[in-house]
Amino acid sequence: LIITHFFPPRPGIGSVRLGGLAKYLPEFGWHPIVLTSKLPYKPEGNFTLVETPAFEDTFTKWKRRLGADPQRGFKEQIGSLENIESRKSKIASRFAQFGKGILAYPDFAHSWYTAACEYATIAIQSNQVDVLLSSSHPVTAHLIANTIKKKYALPWVADLRDLWTQNHYYPYGILRKTIERQLELRTLQEADALVTVSEPLAETLRHLHKQEQILSITNGFDPDDYTALPLTKEFTITYTGQLHEGKRDPRALLAVILELIDSKRIDESRVRIRFFGPKASWLENFVKEKNMESVVSFESVDRATALKKQAESQILLLLNWDHPDEKGVYTGKLFEYLGARRPIIATSGSNVGDNVVQRLLKETHSGYFVSEPDDIKKIILHYYNDYETTGSVMYKGKQGQIEMYTHHEMTKKFSELFETVIR
């Protein structure tokens, strides 16, 4: 029984991980029963889907009560909500500042708990369930699994795609963190094994939790998602996904490209830098200021289209967060790029030292991790000279190593762990 809020077609990296697991578990002798909240439409696959009724998360409820648009971000509406009375406007401001830490405990999905426990009970009474898997975020999935574990004494594996209170981007204050850490310890002490997505994060878990089985199982990609496509005629650098100013920020790379164009070391008419993802006005303004509109483009596309854009690109750009603790974090985007089988340039605002992304790129020969402008320039020129010579950038990825990061291999590791906790 897999307990997860994120599952295809609901978007998110969690959906990719759990969707791959449900797809490939039958090849290892397992039948997945997926418990999730109501999906936009029914996915296909060799698994049993158990959908709870849709629940309204905490923030949507409060936006509705305060007269705000439930479909828009709360903070962006404050100060521009003409339909909210003065008193309600003050409440809205306070809620935007403090409400997340108080009302959404332990997360936005806590109102899913009751219905999910009920539907999990029905699923177990109707099927022979041998093992539980809960995956977060939201961490409410672990609260549900904890209850079911106690009720039926089933082996339980807790999958923390992001760490709980040990997450270096934990968004709340010290008081809530202290209280929530006790909840984390009480909840996960019932689990037979803990899983996270990298060995450094697994080591962090070992400092807090006492399970014998604490291990890493990386995310992966599904080869079935990709088809071989002709490469673009231009020297194309493609980024897919969200951008964050000052964190997941490509301006250093764009500045290098502009310098190379101005110095005539690369041909402006042959270079294209493409961003596929949500609108980032701060980056669009930067491009206009630097008169790079002929080189840089922006477009919002669905995931299937994004995967095609990756596969046709000469180079793929991976932007890492500028934080020392990021050394233990793989982005889900990295595994998509491995699946596209195109050279990768991974960069961040500073050199975070030896990190898992850097190691994976070296292991698979699929690209380079760079941080300093001079290093970015060297890699761009290396690839551009390759392109000028042969008409395309050569891909030198090691196929055998890359295949270790498929969903099939990920699922194999989960299957072996399930067998271990059952024994």
Side-chain angles (χ1 to χ4, degrees):
L1 178 64
I2 299 173
I3 302 170
T4 178
H5 173 69
F6 286 101
F7 192 78
R10 184 171 288 115
I13 294 302
S15 288
V16 175
R17 182 173 174 88
L18 277 301
L21 193 60
K23 176 178 178 178
Y24 287 103
L25 272 173
E27 292 190 18
F28 296 93
W30 297 91
H31 181 75
I33 304 168
V34 179
L35 174 69
T36 189
S37 60
K38 190 170 181 60
L39 298 172
Y41 59 86
K42 295 285 192 296
E44 295 182 359
N46 185 19
F47 54 84
T48 299
L49 182 67
V50 178
E51 294 177 280
T52 69
F55 67 91
E56 190 170 60
D57 68 73
T58 300
F59 304 122
T60 301
K61 287 179 182 177
W62 275 89
K63 282 185 279 190
R64 199 184 305 282
R65 288 175 185 173
L66 294 168
D69 182 351
Q71 302 304 317
R72 292 171 57 207
F74 209 7
K75 287 185 179 180
E76 69 180 88
Q77 299 183 70
I78 295 171
S80 63
L81 295 172
E82 298 178 355
N83 62 322
I84 294 184
E85 303 166 7
S86 176
R87 179 171 173 274
K88 281 188 175 181
S89 183
K90 289 179 182 178
I91 295 173
S93 297
R94 289 174 185 168
F95 175 74
Q97 189 173 1
F98 302 112
K100 223 175 179 182
I102 297 170
L103 297 172
Y105 183 80
D107 54 39
F108 70 91
H110 71 271
S111 57
W112 181 44
Y113 170 84
T114 302
C117 286
E118 177 185 340
Y119 278 71
T121 297
I122 294 171
I124 289 171
Q125 291 174 348
S126 305
N127 300 273
Q128 180 185 334
V129 172
D130 297 291
V131 66
L132 302 174
L133 173 72
S134 58
S135 187
S136 64
H137 90 109
V139 296
T140 292
H142 301 314
L143 302 185
I144 296 161
N146 175 281
T147 298
I148 299 303
K149 158 83 175 183
K150 289 177 179 177
K151 187 173 182 179
Y152 292 101
L154 288 167
W156 167 30
V157 175
D159 176 36
L160 292 93
R161 305 187 308 271
D162 296 301
L163 300 188
W164 192 336
T165 61
Q166 293 173 294
N167 192 328
H168 55 280
Y169 290 116
Y170 185 81
Y172 308 117
I174 188 65
L175 177 60
R176 166 159 167 169
K177 187 173 186 177
T178 301
I179 295 170
E180 192 168 358
R181 177 150 293 182
Q182 294 306 308
L183 176 65
E184 177 180 353
L185 288 167
R186 289 196 310 271
T187 301
L188 295 182
Q189 71 180 359
E190 301 293 335
D192 297 278
L194 305 182
V195 175
T196 189
V197 295
S198 76
E199 185 53 36
L201 294 184
E203 188 58 35
T204 299
L205 278 176
R206 293 182 191 113
H207 290 309
L208 181 63
H209 297 280
K210 306 305 179 186
Q211 277 88 346
E212 290 185 12
Q213 293 283 338
I214 298 179
L215 66 160
S216 67
I217 300 178
T218 61
N219 289 314
F221 67 93
D222 189 346
D224 292 347
D225 288 341
Y226 299 86
T227 54
L229 295 172
L231 299 180
T232 59
K233 293 182 179 180
E234 299 83 9
F235 180 72
T236 309
I237 301 174
T238 297
Y239 176 84
T240 60
Q242 290 190 326
L243 296 158
H244 297 275
E245 187 173 10
K247 295 292 184 182
R248 195 171 286 153
D249 191 331
R251 286 178 292 191
L253 179 133
L254 293 182
V256 167
I257 295 291
L258 183 59
E259 180 187 339
L260 292 172
I261 289 173
D262 289 343
S263 63
K264 308 298 183 183
R265 301 183 73 180
I266 62 176
D267 185 346
E268 179 178 356
S269 68
R270 305 188 72 182
V271 178
R272 295 293 180 271
I273 305 173
R274 312 184 301 178
F275 294 94
F276 296 101
K279 182 180 177 65
S281 56
W282 55 271
L283 184 58
E284 293 183 26
N285 292 336
F286 175 85
V287 169
K288 289 177 183 177
E289 289 170 9
K290 301 298 183 180
N291 296 315
M292 297 183 73
E293 294 99 320
S294 64
V295 174
V296 182
S297 64
F298 301 90
E299 187 179 350
S300 181
V301 298
D302 59 28
R303 182 172 182 270
T305 303
L307 296 182
K308 291 178 182 177
K309 298 297 183 182
Q310 292 170 13
E312 71 179 19
S313 297
Q314 298 288 346
I315 299 171
L316 298 172
L317 174 63
L318 183 71
L319 299 171
N320 294 277
W321 286 74
D322 181 8
H323 193 292
D325 289 334
E326 283 290 299
K327 65 183 181 180
V329 177
Y330 298 105
T331 66
K333 194 65 56 189
L334 173 59
F335 297 98
E336 283 189 359
Y337 285 2
L338 286 181
R341 290 174 170 78
R342 297 304 305 146
I344 300 167
I345 295 178
T347 184
S348 71
S350 67
N351 191 341
V352 295
D354 186 30
N355 62 75
V356 293
V357 173
Q358 191 172 14
R359 273 180 262 160
L360 188 147
L361 292 177
K362 286 182 179 179
E363 173 195 340
T364 59
H365 289 209
S366 55
Y368 298 92
F369 182 95
V370 290
S371 57
E372 299 300 327
D374 285 346
D375 294 329
I376 297 173
K377 187 185 302 182
K378 288 177 184 176
I379 293 303
I380 293 293
L381 285 174
H382 167 74
Y383 281 138
Y384 185 75
N385 290 335
D386 198 6
Y387 165 79
E388 284 278 85
T389 303
T390 65
S392 64
V393 177
M394 186 179 297
Y395 181 60
K396 299 179 180 179
K398 297 174 71 174
Q399 186 66 21
Q401 295 300 116
I402 290 170
E403 286 180 355
M404 298 304 295
Y405 296 98
T406 63
H407 280 167
H408 186 275
E409 287 299 311
M410 175 191 74
T411 304
K412 178 182 178 182
K413 293 173 183 175
F414 269 106
S415 175
E416 290 170 349
L417 178 58
F418 294 159
E419 296 284 358
T420 298
V421 296
I422 287 175
R423 287 196 301 269

